[in-house]
Amino acid sequence: MSRATFPDKLRTQMRMALPMIDKNIRCKANTSRQSLTQASGLNDNQLQAALRMAYGEKGVPSPVYRSPTAGKMYDSESLLRVLAKWCGMWAYVIED
């Protein structure tokens, strides 16, 4: 994979995780880093790169807390908003 296609691959893979994050919002649950890697099919380093690209200058979000079993936990609402904008999935960005 070339450097030119790497961001596109990350966007495509992160799109697969958006429904899971949306479900977590409806269940009022946070999203674990482990579930993000499973839903997107990315490894931990690729997930970190995707988060860096999505959040840009703001930097990667700090975890809300760390779970002994699931690891780092992120706020689902802010995560979905940023990732959906970055992936161009506007249906997740528009609020009812």
Side-chain angles (χ1 to χ4, degrees):
M1 176 182 358
S2 70
R3 282 185 161 189
T5 61
F6 186 67
D8 294 332
K9 178 192 184 277
L10 293 180
R11 276 191 187 93
T12 303
Q13 293 298 112
M14 288 306 293
R15 283 184 184 127
M16 296 189 314
L18 296 179
M20 182 266 308
I21 300 169
D22 188 47
K23 180 181 170 191
N24 286 349
I25 291 172
R26 284 186 263 120
C27 296
K28 299 190 185 319
N30 290 315
T31 302
S32 71
R33 188 174 182 98
Q34 182 180 18
S35 64
L36 280 173
T37 58
Q38 289 174 350
S40 66
L42 298 172
N43 66 33
D44 196 58
N45 290 337
Q46 292 169 333
L47 178 65
Q48 184 71 17
L51 290 174
R52 263 195 217 122
M53 288 181 200
Y55 278 84
E57 294 176 5
K58 293 185 261 181
V60 178
S62 50
V64 177
Y65 67 94
R66 294 177 192 266
S67 167
T69 55
K72 297 177 182 176
M73 302 292 285
Y74 298 106
D75 176 51
S76 296
E77 289 187 36
S78 63
L79 190 65
L80 181 67
R81 191 177 310 113
V82 171
L83 289 177
K85 284 180 183 177
W86 182 63
C87 292
M89 300 292 289
W90 302 110
Y92 290 106
V93 179
I94 298 171
E95 297 180 16
D96 295 330

